[in-house]
Amino acid sequence: MSRDIKKIGVMTSGGDAPGMNAAIRAVVRACAYYDLKCLGFYRGYQGIIENDFEEMSPRSVKNIINKGGTVLKSARSQDFRTKEGRQQAYENLKEAEVDALVLIGGDGTFTGGLIFSQEYDIPVVGVPGTIDNDIRGTQFTIGYDTALNTVVEAVDKIRDTASSHNRLFFVEVMGRDAGFIALNSGVGAGAEEILIPEENIGLDTLLESLKRSKRSGKSSSIVIVAEGDKTGKNVFELAEYVGKNLPEYETKVTVIGHLQRGGSPTCFDRVLASRLGVKAVEFLLDGKRDIMVGIENNIITATDIDAITKGHNDINRELLRISDILSI
């Protein structure tokens, strides 16, 4: 292993995700294991610009593996988008003798890190932390599994009420650009219909599907709606439209919202974050840079950040087909 790197900075940026703390813990303890110093920067890139950091040790990260959110806080830094902001960040890192950065976040975080690395020759490795699971180069992102379980648990409870009162519930979940949460939680919770950004089924098809459910003897139904679905209506407008066209249904709306981001991470997310955090440090020591550490078929991988930021993961079309079959 290369010994050119003696001090690593770690930060979280963008939207928080359950398991980020487990990733921070893994980075800090891997640094200690390899006799490296580790600095934790608060509020992502903004913390680097404002020199807001602390030196972290294995004891600094005790009892955080089970906690949601991020102990390093998170923010989207407008200052870092400017040349002046990045210059200040570089000067602060140089003064603190930081040799490389581990960036825990999404593709926006990685895009900023790649620009910074190219401008100032600071090696970076990204760790994918986002509940959306829409980042190329990894089968799973940190926080996705926890978010799915949160949604399924909520929908199970909503279905109890829907069944008791013969109601049609529209449940909005996160996913402005990607329908991974909606599709997988919809199948897992037995939703009658799933609306996602990648697949515009149209209002007529939705109405016909709900009519078919009614004819088949269903007295209540659940429709999972990703916030970025392509019907052209928000979830409240959608419920009102269906209510007017299908008066036999009493429609209700539940927006799960930021509940999906919080909570104690699942075992899957804790283990995933631990594996990715350790490997991020090892990749830096091996001389790798400007990559994201990911997982494919349970094997840790490295993908160039430049390739990751040019698109998103594709939705599972087979799962879409299965959801249609199971909604009968």
Side-chain angles (χ1 to χ4, degrees), residues 155 159 168-173 181-196 199-213 218 220-226 229 231 235 238 242 246 249 319-328:
V155 174
R159 188 177 288 280
L168 166 61
F169 268 85
F170 288 85
V171 181
E172 184 186 88
V173 300
I181 292 176
L183 178 57
N184 284 269
S185 66
V187 171
E192 278 65 37
E193 197 58 70
I194 303 167
L195 306 181
I196 59 176
E199 187 85 355
N200 184 8
I201 69 169
L203 294 171
D204 291 341
T205 301
L206 174 62
L207 291 176
E208 184 53 42
S209 173
L210 293 172
K211 288 178 183 177
R212 184 175 67 245
S213 294
K218 291 183 179 181
S220 64
S221 292
I222 301 286
V223 178
I224 302 290
V225 185
D229 88 280
T231 58
V235 68
L238 195 59
V242 170
L246 298 176
Y249 275 113
L319 196 55
L320 268 176
R321 187 183 73 84
I322 288 172
S323 72
D324 287 338
I325 292 174
L326 297 180
S327 66
I328 192 168

Side-chain angles (χ1 to χ4, degrees), residues 158-277:
I158 290 167
R159 188 177 288 280
D160 291 343
T161 293
S163 300
S164 298
H165 295 276
N166 296 337
R167 287 171 177 165
L168 166 61
F169 268 85
F170 288 85
V171 181
E172 184 186 88
V173 300
M174 285 184 168
R176 198 164 32 245
D177 302 307
F180 293 96
I181 292 176
L183 178 57
N184 284 269
S185 66
V187 171
E192 278 65 37
E193 197 58 70
I194 303 167
L195 306 181
I196 59 176
E198 296 88 344
E199 187 85 355
N200 184 8
I201 69 169
L203 294 171
D204 291 341
T205 301
L206 174 62
L207 291 176
E208 184 53 42
S209 173
L210 293 172
K211 288 178 183 177
R212 184 175 67 245
S213 294
K214 198 73 170 178
R215 289 194 300 266
S216 71
K218 291 183 179 181
S219 60
S220 64
S221 292
I222 301 286
V223 178
I224 302 290
V225 185
E227 58 187 337
D229 88 280
K230 294 297 192 293
T231 58
K233 297 180 181 293
N234 66 43
V235 68
F236 294 99
E237 294 170 339
L238 195 59
E240 183 180 3
Y241 176 85
V242 170
K244 287 180 178 178
N245 286 272
L246 298 176
E248 61 270 30
Y249 275 113
E250 180 186 358
T251 60
K252 297 290 182 180
V253 173
T254 297
V255 178
I256 299 181
H258 285 80
L259 282 174
Q260 293 155 89
R261 281 196 180 169
S264 180
T266 60
C267 180
F268 181 90
D269 273 329
R270 298 182 199 192
V271 173
L272 175 64
S274 298
R275 294 180 68 185
L276 298 184

